Amino acid sequence: MSDAKPVFELFVLGQHIPINQSIIFQWTIMVAMITISFFLTRNMSMIPKGKQIWAEYMVESVNNLVKENMGKKYLKFAPYIGTLAIFLLLMNLFDLFGFRPPTTDYSVTLGLAIISFIIIQVNAITKNGIINYIKAFFHPFSFMFPLNIIERLVVPISLSLRLFGNTLAAVIIIELLYQALNKATEALNINIPFLQAIIPIPFHLYFSIFDGVIQMVIFVMLTMIFIKITAEH
């Protein structure tokens, strides 16, 4: 797991709130996303050009993703799905800069999964009404109530553990590789660490970039699927 030792503490309402590395990285990503969004959407015109083309391309891509997987009536979830995808992707790629991704901290993945879980349940209640929402727990038979409750509650656990476990495993493999290369460099008495500079490249391409993208896609796709099937159950 990531280093849970706080970097500093905030003193709010008489309470000391520890701020660890993963929280700082998330704040950094949020500031970067807000800054880039503000830059891309300044001085927009009816005829797109320059940076506006990229902004509209990204928005259209997310809209198409939601329409193809959830349907046109779920297009209102596109802002959340797009923000979630970019946020997860940037966190997963932190490994490329020599830091453990925030997604190797289970509190981070659990927090994101709980947000998705709340959206899933609120959407189901809004669409079907609270009475029909409760009735769904007794469908198709009353004795299925406990199983249906477990089925709903396991969603945030499944989402968070899948992302946390896969990201942490990839990071551990990369760290073990660097440790092995350091020992090989010492054993061969090589002054220049060219082994660490060359050999890890394909491993970073797979475990840092490819796996990071795949884990983001899986989390986002499952979120879209759960929103749709829970509302229509």
Side-chain angles (χ1 to χ4, degrees):
M1 296 178 67
S2 64
D3 188 2
K5 184 178 179 181
V7 179
F8 62 90
E9 292 185 343
L10 292 178
F11 188 70
V12 180
L13 300 176
Q15 300 294 322
H16 291 276
I17 302 176
I19 305 298
N20 59 25
Q21 185 174 275
S22 64
I23 296 176
I24 295 175
F25 288 163
Q26 290 178 83
W27 287 350
T28 303
I29 293 172
M30 290 177 195
V31 171
M33 290 176 65
I34 292 171
T35 303
I36 293 173
S37 299
F38 178 74
F39 171 74
L40 291 177
T41 54
R42 285 184 63 196
N43 302 320
M44 300 187 73
S45 60
M46 290 299 295
I47 302 177
K49 58 182 179 180
K51 63 182 188 300
Q52 186 178 339
I53 295 177
W54 289 101
E56 292 191 6
Y57 173 76
M58 287 190 288
V59 171
E60 192 64 27
S61 298
V62 174
N63 287 342
N64 289 336
L65 177 69
V66 172
K67 281 191 288 187
E68 291 172 2
N69 291 281
M70 302 176 72
K72 193 174 181 179
K73 61 183 178 180
Y74 289 92
L75 201 55
K76 62 183 177 182
F77 291 100
Y80 174 67
I81 296 299
T83 304
L84 180 65
I86 296 172
F87 189 59
L88 279 174
L89 180 61
L90 293 177
M91 284 199 295
N92 288 345
L93 295 181
F94 252 77
D95 189 33
L96 293 174
F97 304 100
F99 301 104
R100 277 200 167 194
T103 41
T104 58
D105 185 338
Y106 185 63
S107 64
V108 175
T109 61
L110 181 61
L112 291 172
I114 289 175
I115 292 173
S116 288
F117 175 75
I118 292 172
I119 290 175
I120 292 166
Q121 304 309 318
V122 169
N123 178 64
I125 294 173
T126 303
K127 183 174 184 296
N128 301 295
I130 186 65
I131 301 299
N132 289 327
Y133 174 80
I134 295 173
K135 284 182 178 178
F137 288 102
F138 299 91
H139 181 80
F141 305 105
S142 298
F143 66 86
M144 296 290 289
F145 175 74
L147 292 178
N148 286 331
I149 288 288
I150 294 173
E151 183 185 33
R152 295 289 178 92
L153 294 179
V154 81
V155 167
I157 298 173
S158 172
L159 281 173
S160 58
L161 283 179
R162 180 182 289 104
L163 177 60
F164 165 73
N166 283 289
T167 309
L168 181 61
V171 169
I172 289 175
I173 290 173
I174 292 293
E175 290 180 351
L176 290 175
L177 174 65
Y178 275 106
Q179 290 179 13
L181 292 174
N182 287 337
K183 291 187 177 298
T185 300
E186 292 176 3
L188 296 172
N189 196 24
I190 302 173
N191 294 324
I192 301 175
F194 70 92
L195 293 178
Q196 294 89 326
I198 298 175
I199 294 178
I201 292 176
F203 291 90
H204 273 298
L205 289 174
Y206 181 81
F207 289 108
S208 300
I209 298 178
F210 178 74
D211 188 62
V213 173
I214 289 297
Q215 297 311 319
M216 176 274 290
V217 171
I218 291 173
F219 193 99
V220 169
M221 292 298 292
L222 287 177
T223 296
M224 288 193 293
I225 291 170
F226 284 134
I227 290 174
K228 182 178 174 66
I229 64 174
T230 303
E232 298 177 358
H233 189 268

